[in-house]
Amino acid sequence: MNASGNKYQKGFLDAVRNGDTAELKKILECREGKVNVNSFDTEGQTALHQSCMNGNLKLVKLLVKFGADTRLANSDGWNPLHIAAFSGHQDITLYLLHANRTIPPKR
């Protein structure tokens, strides 16, 4: 990713950390192809993992809509569904269960 791509990625990660759904949507719509929604941070989490931990269903839905992989494991081996269930976020858990049913299995 080039320098401008890194700028977009930083803005993406900041919007996720801040729980800013409007800013995240703007970044994802305007910078499609320039932001990796499945990138791992220094702690081994993706934006989807972080949003599941934070209990932010709006961010979770937005990230999945823009291609976040619901099956990626973090550095501890937990996928977003594990994190949502363990954290007690029933709404996110149910959403991810449904989302996983509509995604074809990996081969």
Side-chain angles (χ1 to χ4, degrees):
M1 206 174 279
N2 59 29
S4 64
N6 289 334
K7 177 181 78 173
Y8 299 137
Q9 195 71 30
K10 183 183 177 329
F12 165 77
L13 294 174
D14 288 343
V16 170
R17 267 191 232 92
N18 295 330
D20 190 340
T21 308
E23 181 64 18
L24 183 63
K25 184 176 181 182
K26 185 172 90 173
I27 289 169
L28 291 172
E29 288 176 342
C30 297
R31 308 292 183 232
E32 196 164 347
K34 296 181 181 179
V35 174
N36 180 356
V37 296
N38 292 309
S39 67
F40 289 89
D41 64 15
T42 57
E43 296 175 12
Q45 308 287 343
T46 66
L48 185 56
H49 292 120
Q50 188 64 50
S51 297
C52 288
M53 278 188 272
N54 295 343
N56 193 327
L57 180 59
K58 286 182 182 180
L59 281 186
V60 168
K61 287 181 175 182
L62 190 58
L63 289 164
V64 170
K65 176 182 175 184
F66 280 91
D69 189 338
T70 60
R71 297 179 179 162
L72 275 181
N74 66 11
S75 60
D76 295 321
W78 288 40
N79 68 34
L81 179 59
H82 296 132
I83 293 169
F86 182 79
S87 300
H89 302 300
Q90 185 177 11
D91 54 347
I92 295 173
T93 302
L94 292 172
Y95 174 78
L96 290 173
L97 282 169
H98 176 58
N100 283 337
R101 283 191 357 217
T102 60
I103 298 171
K106 290 184 178 182
R107 296 189 190 261

